[in-house]
Amino acid sequence: MAAALSGLLGILAILVSVVLLIVFGILAAVKKSFKKTRFIISGSILIVGIILFSFAYHMANSETDTTVATSTDSSSNSSDNGSSPDSSTSTSSEDTSASSTSKGDSAVNVEKTTKVNFVNTVGQQTTKVESAEIINAIDSGMTDDNGNDVQYALLIKMSVTNNAPEAATTYPSQGHVVLPDGTQLNAIGAADMDYTDAFKDGDIANGATVSGYVIFPLTMAQAADLKNCNFKFEVMCGNENMTDKNYDVPIKF
C-alpha cells in the first residue's frame, strides 16, 4: 500500500514539475525575463517526484522478493513433510482402472467382470452361478491340462448346496463353456490347480455347500472378443430319486 501511494505521489510531482517548467519557460520567453527562483522550485518538485517514484519502485521489488521467498519456503516445508501442495492421494483396493483379484498366492488383473445371478433348486440341491470374470493370467503361473501356460482365463464363480439326505455329486470342471462360434472350451481340473478357491469336484455331503471358481483357459483373441457364452455342467442330486440335472447357464459381459 505504501509503495503504491509513494509511486502515485511521485508521478504527480513529476507531472507538476514538468508543467511548471513549461509554463515558466513560456513566461520567460514572452516577458524576456528569467526568474531563477521559479525554475529552482520546478526543479525541486521534479527531484522530489523522482525520489518518490524510485522509493515506490524499490518497495514494490522488495514485496515481490518477500512473496517469492515465502512461497519457496512453503513448498520446501511441504516436501519435507512428504507431500506437495497440489498433490492428492487416493488408493483403493476396488479401483476399477487397475482392479485385481487374488486367487491362491497369485494376484492377477481383471479384464472383464459380470454378475450372473443364476439360482436353481431341484432334487433338494440349490445351484448358484454368481459371477464371471476374464483375467490376465500371463504372470499367474497357471497351466492348462496339457501343461501349457495360460494367457487369459474365464473364471466362473458357483456354488452347490445339498439339502438332500444323501450326498450329491458334481464335476463342473468336466463341463464346458460354449462360445458363440461353437467353440467348446474345457475347464482346468481343480485337482491340478494350486488355487485354494477353485471349485472342488466330487461329493457334497448332506447340509454342506461347496463353492469356488471353475476356470477355463482363453487365448488373447478369445478374451478380447468374448461377449457371451454358455456354461454347461451337471449335478447329480442326493434325493431319493437321485435326480440328474444338466445345466446350461448363459453368461453375458
Side-chain angles (χ1 to χ4, degrees), residues 122 232-235 244-248:
V122 63
K232 300 175 181 286
F233 61 97
E234 181 182 14
V235 174
D244 190 358
K245 176 66 176 177
N246 290 298
Y247 287 98
D248 187 345

Side-chain angles (χ1 to χ4, degrees), residues 147-160:
N148 300 318
D149 291 337
V150 175
Q151 293 181 316
Y152 291 83
L154 170 63
L155 278 61
I156 301 174
K157 187 175 183 180
M158 65 170 292
S159 67
V160 178

